[in-house]
Amino acid sequence: MIDFAAELERARLERERIEIEQLAPVSARNADEIAEREKDLAGWLKYYYPDHYDRPFAQSQHQCFGHALEIKADTYFEPICLCDPRGLGKSTVVEGIGVWLLATLRRLYWLMTSETDEQARKHQASVKKMLESPRLLADYPHLKPRVQSVRNNLEAWSSEMLICESGQQIEFTSLLGKMRGFKSADGKRPDIWTPDDIDNPNESNAVTAKKREIMRKEFLPALAKDKNGELLGSVIWPQNLIHRNSVMRQVMDFTADMLSDRRFI
């Protein structure tokens, strides 16, 4: 009896092998072309992920790309708050920006935080798939990922990391679940943090306040700093203004006591 699932998987792996063989020689001869492509973030995403980004980007997303292009390695950049309404693909856009930041070596340790463990695992699967793209790896072999679990039984938390060939790290955590940590084995701190859809329209004011304080007192202080103690870690936060007392609304109104230098889009 034919195992159709196994046959499909073998066919997929063979297609990937052929694509890598076809792309790798071309990439080796076109370093200048790759560098030029990196200057257009929207075009970069559509080149490496034509099926993933198959719709035109919104004006607000182009504005977000423009801000992201200003990010430099080992340099602080003001927080970017992308407040598009639901359905425009905020999370997908920010995932792409995160991969671009790693590909161009502008950031080395990406911390991605969701409201729940389930959402965090979905982001991990999505980013892992993006990093495994044959077209991407042909030009950026340093991004080849592997999964590493980080656990602390005493404090009852765990997190999931993707470790790239280069040693760059992507960690997936949750704000209210058990996937916490944001601490690498070698003591490195995240230099880019993307909280994603943290606010919930059905939560109480007490839960909103709890989320704000966790972000303010636990996550933000954990971001990378330079040798003088100045902040290096940057924030890109996709979140629509979901209700009048949401954390994002408080940031917008300067009542959250954090991210006061943010750029709103």
Side-chain angles (χ1 to χ4, degrees):
M1 188 174 182
I2 299 176
D3 187 339
F4 289 103
E7 289 297 321
L8 287 171
E9 180 64 12
R10 276 194 288 271
R12 184 186 69 81
L13 292 173
E14 179 64 13
R15 286 197 304 271
E16 288 189 357
R17 183 189 67 77
I18 293 171
E19 187 175 352
I20 289 174
E21 288 181 354
Q22 291 175 338
L23 288 169
V26 175
S27 301
R29 296 194 302 267
N30 288 290
D32 291 341
E33 181 181 322
I34 294 169
E36 189 64 27
R37 191 179 298 124
E38 291 173 356
K39 298 176 183 178
D40 174 12
L41 215 166
W44 190 92
L45 292 176
K46 286 185 176 291
Y47 176 82
Y48 289 104
Y49 305 105
D51 296 330
H52 205 51
Y53 299 99
D54 57 351
R55 296 185 300 176
F57 291 114
Q59 182 178 354
S60 56
Q61 293 166 347
H62 280 290
Q63 188 178 351
C64 187
F65 294 150
H67 288 320
L69 283 165
E70 298 176 28
I71 297 176
K72 307 298 181 186
D74 298 319
T75 304
Y76 174 73
F77 190 80
E78 295 87 353
I80 301 170
C81 296
L82 179 60
C83 296
D84 284 341
R86 288 196 179 278
L88 286 185
K90 296 185 299 298
S91 299
T92 306
V93 163
V94 170
E95 285 178 351
I97 292 174
V99 172
W100 176 83
L101 288 170
L102 297 178
T104 57
L105 300 176
R106 300 182 186 216
R107 287 295 181 263
L108 304 177
Y109 186 164
W110 177 13
L111 175 64
M112 193 167 200
T113 303
S114 306
E115 182 187 18
T116 67
D117 291 348
E118 181 182 3
Q119 291 170 326
R121 293 188 183 98
K122 287 180 179 178
H123 280 303
Q124 183 201 35
S126 178
V127 172
K128 181 173 181 288
K129 185 176 180 180
M130 294 180 75
L131 293 177
E132 290 173 336
S133 161
R135 171 168 284 196
L136 180 80
L137 292 177
D139 288 345
Y140 303 97
H142 67 278
L143 290 181
K144 184 177 180 180
R146 61 180 173 84
V147 179
Q148 175 177 305
S149 296
V150 181
R151 304 189 185 281
N152 184 322
N153 292 328
L154 182 63
E155 297 183 18
W157 60 255
S158 67
S159 68
E160 296 290 333
M161 276 189 173
L162 296 176
I163 310 295
C164 298
E165 197 78 20
S166 59
Q168 291 168 287
Q169 304 168 60
I170 310 101
E171 185 171 9
F172 302 87
T173 61
S174 60
L175 203 64
L176 299 180
K178 294 183 178 180
M179 291 180 68
R180 301 283 286 280
F182 43 89
K183 185 178 182 180
S184 67
D186 53 7
K188 293 178 181 176
R189 291 170 173 256
D191 54 7
I192 181 68
W193 180 35
T194 58
D196 185 85
D197 275 341
I198 296 301
D199 288 319
N200 188 313
N202 301 314
E203 66 195 17
S204 66
N205 289 342
V207 171
T208 300
K210 179 180 179 180
K211 289 179 178 179
R212 183 193 64 234
E213 292 307 290
I214 291 174
M215 294 175 70
R216 189 171 69 87
K217 295 181 179 180
E218 296 184 30
F219 280 84
L220 285 170
L223 298 183
K225 297 176 176 62
D226 65 18
K227 61 183 180 181
N228 297 318
E230 296 296 324
L231 188 64
L232 283 178
S234 300
V235 178
I236 303 177
W237 183 6
Q239 174 69 65
N240 57 323
L241 297 170
I242 209 161
H243 59 82
R244 284 184 293 180
N245 195 46
S246 67
V247 180
M248 179 62 87
R249 173 64 71 176
Q250 293 178 45
V251 170
M252 184 178 185
D253 295 342
F254 295 102
T255 59
D257 195 23
M258 63 178 183
L259 306 182
S260 58
D261 58 341
R262 78 289 183 276
R263 301 184 181 192
F264 258 95
I265 302 173

